Amino acid sequence: MSQDRWAAVERYFDGLLFPPDAALDAALADSVAAGLPPINVSAGQGRLLAMFARMIQARRILEIGTLGGYSGIWLARALPAGGRLVTLEVDPRHAEVARHNFARAGLTDCIDVRVGPAQETLPAIDSEGLGPFDLIFVDADKARYTEYLDWSIRLSRPGSVIVVDNVVRDGEVVNEHTTDAKVQGVRKFNVALAAERRVEATAIQLVGAKGHDGFAVMIVKGT
Ligand code: SAH
Ligand code: DHB
Ligand code: MG
């Protein structure tokens, strides 16, 4: 019952707030056609990420976990002229779909897709001096979330905003005996977040067509 209701409410707000959007709709359709998993953020979440970017007038955005570029389109569209999104993806097939989706959305010039394991591309981004980033969206392999938290802070400046997806995992995050490696990764991350003195943080549960999950949202106090 609750799952049906959550899905119905998502459809209701999608109908009210998110009219068809050629680039976003095609990005999802092509992602499905290419066999990518349907684990992109929802439209409402994409809009929220874009609004965070606009609220802080983000000029440099970093995303860890591109998939087919759905969240990337939302983020890149929020950039001012001359702004840049750097998005990291380990799977070359995903990156290829994303590049095509970014091109169709007219966003090629403001998006830098880096293919490779983020644990390798993050140090490269650091040494190239591409930061500090104003907004960072972490949405890749859950087992490395604690590492990505540390990198995100290192690539930030005081006032940067960091958003981390999937910190609830159908509520399994409260199960200390979980054998699911992704949930274990998120649980370790949540504990690290609680101990992290360099950020002010909150965690918000979200429900919708894809179930129950959540965002951790933080503001960097110091790096
Ligand atoms: N942000 C996307 C969804 C990302 S899904 C959206 O909302 O549209 C998670 C992505 O992280 C997948 O494409 C997966 O291939 C990628 N990923 C997994 N491990 C990774 C790693 N070590 N480095 C970079 N990307 C990784
Ligand atoms: C998974 C990953 C995600 O980033 C997400 O939003 C939902 C599910 C997954 O790996 O199962
Ligand atoms: Mg996610």
Side-chain angles (χ1 to χ4, degrees):
M1 176 60 200
S2 35
Q3 177 56 61
D4 290 349
R5 257 302 156 100
W6 301 339
V9 171
E10 186 167 328
R11 281 194 302 275
Y12 166 78
F13 279 117
D14 281 356
L16 287 172
L17 296 174
F18 305 108
D21 179 299
L24 287 171
D25 297 346
L28 286 185
D30 279 12
S31 297
V32 170
L36 271 51
I39 54 174
N40 52 277
V41 295
S42 68
Q45 291 163 9
R47 171 66 58 77
L48 183 64
L49 292 171
M51 288 171 63
F52 284 150
R54 302 283 292 264
M55 285 175 197
I56 61 167
Q57 290 158 352
R59 296 185 60 84
R60 299 180 194 193
I61 303 179
L62 174 66
E63 175 178 67
I64 309 178
T66 314
L67 191 65
Y70 182 78
S71 53
I73 292 174
W74 280 106
L75 288 167
R77 282 177 172 176
L79 288 166
R84 187 151 215 84
L85 167 68
V86 179
T87 182
L88 314 183
E89 176 54 55
V90 71
D91 188 323
R93 278 189 330 117
H94 296 186
E96 181 59 32
V97 173
R99 283 201 174 105
H100 192 256
N101 287 333
F102 293 148
R104 181 170 36 210
L107 295 166
T108 301
D109 290 350
C110 60
I111 305 183
D112 182 355
V113 183
R114 298 284 176 112
V115 183
Q119 60 274 29
E120 293 173 15
T121 49
L122 285 164
I125 282 160
D126 193 19
S127 20
E128 285 175 49
L130 293 181
F133 293 92
D134 307 302
L135 176 68
I136 301 177
F137 180 47
V138 178
D139 194 18
D141 44 334
K142 314 311 166 199
R144 287 207 171 77
Y145 262 22
T146 307
E147 227 179 291
Y148 296 152
L149 174 63
D150 194 56
W151 271 112
S152 295
I153 297 169
R154 285 178 59 172
L155 292 167
S156 289
R157 42 111 184 139
S160 291
V161 170
I162 302 171
V163 180
V164 179
D165 194 22
N166 308 116
V167 299
V168 174
R169 304 292 305 190
D170 276 315
E172 263 300 286
V173 77
V174 302
N175 178 6
E176 58 188 306
H177 303 297
T178 182
T179 55
D180 181 326
K182 292 177 186 176
V183 179
Q184 287 170 347
V186 167
R187 282 175 54 83
K188 275 202 326 207
F189 163 83
N190 289 336
V191 170
L193 180 60
E196 182 50 74
R197 298 305 175 84
R198 296 172 293 177
V199 303
E200 178 179 351
T202 188
I204 298 295
Q205 304 185 57
L206 300 163
V207 295
K210 290 177 188 162
H212 176 205
D213 216 318
F215 277 170
V217 181
M218 53 202 108
I219 298 186
V220 176
K221 296 191 291 190
T223 61

